[in-house]
Amino acid sequence: MSGFLRLLRRDLRLALRQGADAAMAVLFFVLCVIMFPFGIGPEPGVLARIAPGVILVAALLASLLSLDRLFQADHEDGSLELLSLSALPMEAVAAAKILAHWLVTGVPLILAAPLLALFLNLPADGFLILLATLLLATPLLSLIGGIGAALTLGARRGGVLLPLLVLPLYIPALIFAAAAVDSVLTGQAARPHLLLLSGLLAAALPLSPWGAAAALRAALE
Amino acid sequence: MHRFANPARFLRLAALVLPWVSVLSAILFTVGLYLALLASPEDYQQGDTVRIMYVHVPAAWMAMFTYSSMAVAAACALVWRHPLAEVYSKAAAPLGAGFTLLCLVTGSLWGEPMWGTWWVWDARLTSVLILFFLYLGYMALVDAFDDPQRGHRAGAILLLVGAINVPIIKFSVDWWNTLHQPASVLRLDGPAIHGDMLWPLLILALAFKTYFAATVILRMRAELAERKIQTLRLTQAGGV
């Protein structure tokens, strides 16, 4: 466990010192959402209707943005190889890096979301549920994306390939997250959607580091 | 299983099987298409559009079958390092993508007169669309590495991850209340369609399956030949 925490702390420190990744993801998130009022028109009713979906899709794209760097830097300078030789199992390495990715890009997205919800005129009852779904959905994005990042490690055109692999797998998470927010706004129960989303997260939590570790081992062979 | 891991033995077997499945496929297609497009009765509600189903349903079955078989082959390739399993997955992927596309296009052509729309975001349609993208992603990933071995390993892992989608497609019509009708052939209490329509459907399903078998054998042979050429070139270059 201590190796896991040390790796997590190292990754967080690297992210904080460079600082660009987290800031860029949030900036992209904000800009991406701001494009919609220009494209669709500033009518408050329409914006409120599309707000949950737009925010979730933008969060998904923003978390995708820094994903291709998840293992790449460590792969290039050889530290991934050293990590694979350490006592820490590869699954724990993958889990630590995925957790670091969520803390660095996912959490700032959650924090930025209320501001964007204001921009898009989301009704007040939607705020809490939007934050709750983002809290469940963003770790899921990092977990699924972690597999994709490990699979495309060292690939030609890896940056383009990664979204191609990961976006179809994001769809279930997006469906349930958007349905949860919409159901609150239309006065229905959000619980089933939140439970399904939690179920996806519970399944991805053990399976994704496992798959990512298998892909990392293949990359290091 | 490892009896057939030897490519030479596989090639001998393939040469034996290929003419049979090719001829069988041609016969089944001729009979099946005649029955489906000309001899079978019109539906009392759908009229002639029901004939689209004779292509749509086998294509959908094959789309699912191909992906499932690729996922099983991927597991074999990862667990036992079965050399032919990854050749199979790579050979089957474009065929599976083709079946999926055919299924989506025919479904859309049927949907326009019947549902009044080319496309709805219904659970079955959406999950099949995801399946199509999974095929494309797999094909792109396998080709993305300089070392083909690495591409095969990565592709195999992706196939296993995407396998989650298969049960979702199968049961989407039961889990969600959707526009797409539930299964009417593969049911516990027997098929719910009349024999005059069931027979052409089953014959065409077999025709699709034999076509797939013949094409996948051809593609696997081509892949093995390509590897052999590559090895010969490398040894030649090493000898100079």
Side-chain angles (χ1 to χ4, degrees), chain B residues 135-159:
Chain B
Y135 276 121
L136 294 187
Y138 169 78
M139 277 148 59
L141 184 66
V142 169
D143 277 339
F145 296 94
D146 294 325
D147 173 16
Q149 206 55 40
R150 164 94 177 87
H152 283 300
R153 295 289 302 280
I157 296 171
L158 180 70
L159 281 176

Side-chain angles (χ1 to χ4, degrees), chain A:
Chain A
M1 196 64 196
S2 70
F4 178 86
L5 287 179
R6 264 201 292 277
L7 182 59
L8 181 64
R9 203 152 40 194
R10 164 184 173 269
D11 271 19
L12 289 180
R13 196 174 295 153
L14 277 174
L16 284 180
R17 300 249 163 105
Q18 287 165 351
D21 267 8
M24 254 181 348
V26 172
L27 205 62
F28 176 83
F29 182 43
V30 173
L31 278 171
C32 197
V33 170
I34 286 179
M35 290 299 126
F36 280 86
F38 294 116
I40 290 167
E43 195 189 323
V46 176
L47 288 179
R49 175 70 197 84
I50 61 164
V54 166
I55 291 174
L56 286 165
V57 171
L60 183 156
L61 293 175
S63 106
L64 199 63
L65 201 61
S66 55
L67 211 52
D68 63 321
R69 302 291 302 161
L70 185 55
F71 299 110
Q72 205 183 27
D74 281 352
H75 185 52
E76 277 165 3
D77 68 9
S79 39
L80 196 64
E81 217 138 326
L82 287 178
L83 284 171
S84 77
L85 294 174
S86 73
L88 202 60
M90 214 54 188
E91 283 78 10
V93 172
K97 296 197 76 75
I98 290 170
L99 180 59
H101 177 264
W102 179 65
L103 288 173
V104 171
T105 56
V107 173
L109 293 184
I110 301 175
L111 297 178
L115 178 72
L116 293 173
L118 270 180
F119 277 163
L120 292 185
N121 197 32
L122 186 77
D125 351 327
F127 274 69
L128 208 60
I129 184 78
L130 180 69
L131 290 185
T133 51
L134 277 172
L135 202 58
L136 288 172
T138 46
L140 197 55
L141 299 180
S142 293
L143 284 165
I144 298 171
I147 303 180
L151 283 175
T152 54
L153 199 55
R156 278 176 267 131
R157 311 178 300 271
V160 193
L161 190 57
L162 182 60
L164 194 68
L165 299 185
V166 170
L167 282 176
L169 299 173
Y170 278 172
I171 294 175
L174 182 63
I175 289 175
F176 294 124
V181 183
D182 271 342
S183 61
V184 164
L185 293 181
T186 51
Q188 286 159 334
R191 197 175 131 83
H193 304 296
L194 286 180
L195 284 179
L196 278 166
L197 201 58
S198 319
L200 288 179
L201 182 59
L205 216 48
L207 290 179
S208 150
W210 191 48
L216 285 179
R217 279 195 211 101
L220 290 174
E221 241 170 37

Side-chain angles (χ1 to χ4, degrees), chain B residues 24-34 203-204 207-208 210-211:
Chain B
L24 194 61
S25 171
I27 295 173
L28 285 171
F29 263 118
T30 324
V31 175
L33 284 177
Y34 168 74
I203 292 173
L204 270 179
F208 270 67
T210 43
Y211 165 79

